[in-house]
Amino acid sequence: NSLITIWVGGWEMNARVRSVIWLVTILTLSVVMAGCTGGGSADVSNEKQIRTFLKEMEVALRSMDAEKIAGLWHYPVVIEGEEISKEDMQAAFHLIIRDAQRYGLVIHEFRIMVSDSDILVDSSGERAVVYNVKFYTRVSIEGEEYPGETVDGPPLELMKRGGKWKLSSLLMFLDM
């Protein structure tokens, strides 16, 4: 099985808090790998549809609902040549969320921040890349609230299928 490992540097916290933050980061990036927008009408720009897609991902992550998160993916997801089904992704999200809840994680605030100039849609209107993504997260762990953190995210690669944007890949995979 392939696992996604994301390195987020600069945090000097105790191991338990760091573990929970890793869980949040992995869940966040997993959600970012997800997502879709409603098809919308032809007069709604792709950039606006992508912004709606990012808002839907924010809601899915805050809800910590594995079915919602898994339901946002473009399937089959291919990671390093291996196809991952919706059912497998949903099971993985259930495990990640269960572990986060075991630490008493509550996500109070989650935002995906990106400027309009960093949303690039190809000439076909069927593929896009979102660069310079930032995630803002404010959480509490076992009742102790932590100040909000902003971390850099990877570029997001999107595909439009059936009038809906879906995240097709995360450009930052490492096999463990």
Side-chain angles (χ1 to χ4, degrees):
N1 283 329
S2 294
L3 296 176
I4 302 165
T5 304
I6 311 301
W7 180 82
V8 180
W11 290 345
E12 294 184 24
M13 299 179 190
N14 70 44
R16 180 181 171 135
V17 171
R18 195 170 330 139
S19 295
V20 172
I21 290 174
W22 271 105
L23 287 171
V24 171
T25 301
I26 290 168
L27 182 60
T28 300
L29 294 175
S30 297
V31 170
V32 169
M33 293 173 63
C36 66
T37 63
S41 64
D43 58 346
V44 176
S45 75
N46 282 317
E47 289 80 6
K48 286 182 182 179
Q49 289 178 15
I50 290 170
R51 288 249 176 238
T52 300
F53 154 82
L54 295 173
K55 290 294 179 196
E56 289 179 10
M57 288 192 303
E58 290 174 357
V59 170
L61 180 65
R62 279 192 306 265
S63 73
M64 293 179 63
D65 181 324
E67 288 83 14
K68 275 186 184 180
I69 296 167
L72 298 171
W73 283 79
H74 169 66
Y75 293 98
V77 173
V78 179
I79 299 175
E80 296 181 357
E82 183 180 338
E83 287 190 4
I84 314 270
S85 71
K86 182 177 181 177
E87 294 76 21
D88 289 342
M89 290 299 285
Q90 187 170 325
F93 287 131
H94 274 294
L95 291 173
I96 292 168
I97 291 167
R98 185 193 69 205
D99 287 344
Q101 290 172 335
R102 197 177 304 161
Y103 283 106
L105 174 71
V106 176
I107 301 173
H108 297 288
E109 198 172 348
F110 176 73
R111 288 186 305 231
I112 301 171
M113 299 173 291
V114 65
S115 70
D116 288 339
S117 62
D118 289 327
I119 299 173
L120 304 174
V121 180
D122 76 356
S123 61
S124 73
E126 300 295 315
R127 296 184 66 83
V129 177
V130 182
Y131 294 100
N132 300 318
V133 178
K134 297 201 180 297
F135 303 117
Y136 173 81
T137 307
R138 188 173 54 83
V139 302
S140 62
I141 302 164
E142 294 183 345
E144 183 177 346
E145 192 165 326
Y146 290 87
E149 290 280 339
T150 300
V151 297
D152 293 333
L156 311 176
E157 191 174 312
L158 309 169
M159 292 174 36
K160 196 176 204 181
R161 292 288 187 258
K164 296 181 181 184
W165 284 103
K166 306 255 183 187
L167 200 83
S168 62
S169 72
L170 184 69
L171 303 176
M172 198 169 128
F173 290 109
L174 298 173
D175 198 3
M176 290 184 68

